[in-house]
Amino acid sequence: MTLRAVICARYSSDLQSASSIEDQIRLCREHAARAGWQIVGSYEAATTSGASPMRPGIQRLQQDARERRFDVVLSEALDRLSRNQPDIAALYQNLTFAGVAIETLAEGRIDEMQIGLKGTMNALFLKNLAAKIRRGLRGRVESGKSGGGNAFGYTVLRSLTEDGEIKRGDREINPEEVAIVRRIFQSYAGMINVLEG
């Protein structure tokens, strides 16, 4: 009997490009062809954190598994499904209960041992990534740059560095918007004075 397989691919904007999903799908299709499996669908998520179990693709994957629409989930690596240890364990448990196997190009057929080991490694990766992001944001703020996003009252300055790279994090006060911000703070201060008076 030919196994029915689905491909699960994800890229996050931290270290990957949008073409990563296409590359993952291509490699998974090649693997499935060698194994003689029939690809019956795919679940893709772009620029979505691997720490979130609520990704629509993962929710749909689990629902389709419960409906027995496929026999195996094929992915480039376990972290393409999730980097969160409890979530990957729950996903594995749900798929196993539905009679669906997980196979990855990096780890092969997934079992409880790999869920435990890779889940721990992925959880440590997320912890280290969060610390690096906080460190980077703090450095930007301490050097007078924006820590991210665009706050009302400021305009993003767009320019290039001497070597042609985009200069990021510079803002200037927007005169029209700052008048509104000042009025809000003055109204708030006046309301506090009335309440305390």
Side-chain angles (χ1 to χ4, degrees):
M1 179 177 119
T2 302
L3 288 180
R4 298 165 302 158
V6 293
I7 297 170
C8 194
R10 176 184 65 84
Y11 96 93
S12 53
S13 56
D14 51 0
L15 299 172
Q16 299 169 326
S17 69
S19 64
S20 175
I21 283 185
E22 294 167 13
D23 295 339
Q24 291 172 53
I25 290 173
R26 178 178 39 79
L27 292 172
C28 287
R29 284 190 179 280
E30 291 169 1
H31 180 87
R34 286 191 301 273
W37 297 346
Q38 176 190 4
I39 299 293
V40 295
S42 66
Y43 301 84
E44 304 161 20
T47 63
T48 304
S49 168
S52 171
M54 298 310 293
R55 301 189 327 254
I58 292 295
Q59 296 300 309
R60 195 167 39 94
L61 173 84
Q62 292 182 90
Q63 178 61 42
D64 291 349
R66 285 189 292 272
E67 295 172 5
R68 310 268 196 242
R69 294 180 182 223
F70 47 83
D71 307 300
V72 63
V73 173
L74 181 58
S75 190
E76 180 184 41
L78 203 54
D79 68 359
R80 298 300 85 200
L81 297 172
S82 179
R83 284 190 177 133
N84 182 290
Q85 188 173 18
D87 294 338
I88 193 63
L91 176 63
Y92 174 77
Q93 184 177 23
N94 292 339
L95 292 176
T96 301
F97 183 78
V100 174
I102 301 174
E103 185 158 327
T104 71
L105 305 181
E107 297 96 3
R109 187 60 58 108
I110 300 301
D111 59 21
E112 291 87 354
M113 179 77 74
Q114 289 161 316
I115 290 295
L117 293 174
K118 288 296 285 187
T120 300
M121 291 171 57
N122 290 332
L124 290 172
F125 171 84
L126 282 177
K127 183 178 178 181
N128 290 336
L129 180 62
K132 288 176 184 174
I133 289 171
R134 281 193 299 274
R135 182 192 71 219
L137 289 175
R138 179 178 175 180
R140 289 174 61 82
V141 169
E142 288 179 356
S143 67
K145 305 288 184 186
S146 169
N150 189 24
F152 188 79
Y154 293 92
T155 300
V156 176
L157 296 178
R158 306 212 186 271
S159 61
L160 298 175
T161 62
E162 292 176 6
D163 50 349
E165 295 292 320
I166 296 174
K167 194 174 181 183
R168 301 184 188 280
D170 289 332
R171 306 285 190 265
E172 70 179 0
I173 293 174
N174 179 310
E176 293 92 27
E177 292 178 2
V178 80
I180 296 168
V181 172
R182 285 186 178 127
R183 192 173 75 232
I184 290 169
F185 276 95
Q186 288 166 352
S187 293
Y188 178 76
M191 183 176 63
I192 294 297
N193 288 337
V194 168
L195 292 174
E196 291 177 349

